[in-house]
Amino acid sequence: MNPELNVLVVCGGISSERAISLRSGRAVLEALREYGYHNARLFDLREDNMGEILSAHPDAVFLTLHGKGGEDGRIQGFLDLAGIPYTGSGVESSAVCMNKILTKQVLLSMGLPTARFTIIRKERMVKEGVATIARELIDSIGLPMVLKAPCEGSSIGVSIVKEERELSRAVVDIFSYDDRLLAEEFLSGTEITLPILGNEELMVLPDIEITSEREFYDYTAKYTQGMCHHIIPARISAENRERARTIGREAYLALRCRGLARIDFIVDERRGPMVIEINTLPGMTEMSLFPDSARAMGISFPELCHHILSLCME
Ligand SMILES: Nc1ncnc2c1ncn2[C@@H]1O[C@H](COP(=O)(O)OP(=O)(O)O)[C@@H](O)[C@H]1O
Ligand SMILES: [Mg+2]
């Protein structure tokens, strides 16, 4: 490690997850300083100051952005063109993982398990009416079903529909985020997440079971103290653990993730672990899932941040 390294922790951004990203950024900055990177600095990315990243001449950028613009390959492309190393996945992996539809299509093509789904384009709703779309979703997916805006995060634009009478409104609501809607079968089972570190050689960290005081792991559950609980290791069978770890590795490699990623699953009672999504820039506050899992295997938060930084310099 070179303590003189000029590390810029880039956080904030313009997505709906800006507030969370600022929290991650501050936590990572503190951790890097604690580890010994005394030149590490924070950079609050806004709409108009991207060029200032270049004038700061960083040796490396530690990304703690979430959502649009930060987790979807755009800032990664900018840094690639500028020749600045950055933590985490590259352009293509970030772009595909940000889009839950594309992610599922890659998973399916690799034979990896994910919830059954349908995609609806907004123009069809405009032409054929929301009642027709609702009917089709009931027939193809059934109730309960999960509707998602494909490119959001932090459970924004995710709704679980249980009753037919709620469906039309939920459909219209999703189209306020995106012109495509992802409808998935509802999986009941244990929700777990699996953090993975590495480039070619992977280190799979302990799985975490997530329980929520809310109806599901929604925005409030994610970011309010006491509204969700992390159980390490998850209360799943040894067989399901092994399967999740194998699926996790395969998904990480298939989607060409680098540095780190967190793979979310629901362990279905009958079918075992089903992938929900892949987070290429997972939350990095001290309370977040990734650092919690690392801690459970004896890796402190400063050590984790140092490790992630080292992986981007490889
Ligand atoms: N198919 C599903 N069945 C049951 N619950 C789901 C399903 N998909 C998502 N969820 C619930 O919704 C939450 C958010 O969904 P997710 O796809 O992970 O979106 P986000 O990117 O916003 O985290 C999950 O953590 C889980 O609790
Ligand atoms: Mg998620």
Side-chain angles (χ1 to χ4, degrees), residues 6-130:
N6 187 355
V7 185
L8 207 58
V9 179
V10 175
C11 59
I14 52 166
S15 84
S16 48
E17 292 171 275
R18 174 176 166 79
I20 308 307
S21 166
L22 287 170
R23 272 164 64 177
S24 290
R26 286 189 207 108
V28 167
L29 177 71
E30 205 174 298
L32 287 173
R33 290 239 175 104
E34 194 177 325
Y35 195 89
Y37 292 98
H38 57 87
N39 286 331
R41 276 168 306 148
L42 202 69
F43 187 92
D44 179 356
L45 183 66
R46 297 173 187 279
E47 218 147 334
D48 56 356
N49 66 351
M50 198 166 68
E52 289 169 30
I53 296 180
L54 306 181
S55 30
H57 298 292
D59 297 310
V61 161
F62 198 119
L63 288 175
T64 64
L65 293 163
H66 306 306
K68 285 199 180 106
E71 198 169 350
D72 60 4
R74 285 192 271 172
I75 189 86
Q76 289 81 358
F78 171 76
L79 293 170
D80 277 342
L81 291 175
I84 301 169
Y86 53 89
T87 57
S89 296
V91 174
E92 56 176 345
S93 176
S94 304
V96 174
C97 291
M98 188 72 223
N99 184 320
K100 293 183 173 84
I101 295 173
L102 294 180
T103 303
K104 287 171 80 76
Q105 287 167 338
V106 173
L107 293 173
L108 275 188
S109 75
M110 299 297 292
L112 297 171
T114 182
R116 206 160 44 77
F117 67 104
T118 297
I119 304 156
I120 307 279
R121 281 175 291 114
K122 187 176 188 171
E123 53 185 84
R124 274 203 53 210
M125 184 189 70
V126 175
K127 271 194 205 132
E128 297 167 38
V130 67

Side-chain angles (χ1 to χ4, degrees), residues 125-275:
M125 184 189 70
V126 175
K127 271 194 205 132
E128 297 167 38
V130 67
T132 311
I133 303 295
R135 191 69 258 151
E136 186 178 310
L137 289 174
I138 298 272
D139 293 340
S140 59
I141 302 288
L143 291 172
M145 77 176 84
V146 184
L147 299 186
K148 298 182 187 179
C151 301
E152 299 296 320
S154 287
S155 298
I156 295 161
V158 174
S159 70
I160 296 178
V161 179
K162 290 191 179 132
E163 315 256 356
E164 192 166 343
R165 58 180 168 80
E166 301 165 12
L167 185 56
S168 294
R169 223 186 114 172
V171 167
V172 172
D173 189 48
I174 297 292
F175 286 126
S176 66
Y177 294 96
D178 206 298
D179 56 10
R180 293 223 282 178
L181 169 155
L182 170 63
E184 285 183 1
E185 64 176 321
F186 178 84
L187 298 171
S188 70
T190 308
E191 181 161 357
I192 68 164
T193 190
L194 195 63
I196 300 182
L197 282 169
N199 294 332
E200 281 82 34
E201 237 172 80
L202 307 187
M203 174 153 80
V204 183
L205 274 55
D207 45 80
I208 305 183
E209 176 179 340
I210 301 156
T211 62
S212 172
E213 299 287 327
R214 311 260 305 167
E215 194 194 349
F216 69 108
Y217 192 40
D218 66 1
Y219 189 91
T220 308
K222 281 177 179 171
Y223 304 116
T224 317
Q225 194 110 35
M227 290 299 242
C228 72
H229 306 281
H230 301 176
I231 301 165
I232 311 176
R235 295 167 296 180
I236 54 174
S237 67
E239 190 196 345
N240 277 335
R241 167 157 302 112
E242 229 13 76
R243 281 173 71 180
R245 293 174 73 86
T246 304
I247 295 165
R249 275 175 188 281
E250 285 179 20
Y252 190 98
L253 295 172
L255 286 143
R256 299 175 54 85
C257 298
R258 271 182 74 83
L260 77 163
R262 224 194 60 222
I263 314 213
D264 294 347
F265 296 86
I266 289 178
V267 183
D268 183 271
E269 281 122 32
R270 284 180 302 112
R271 291 179 288 174
M274 311 281 288
V275 178

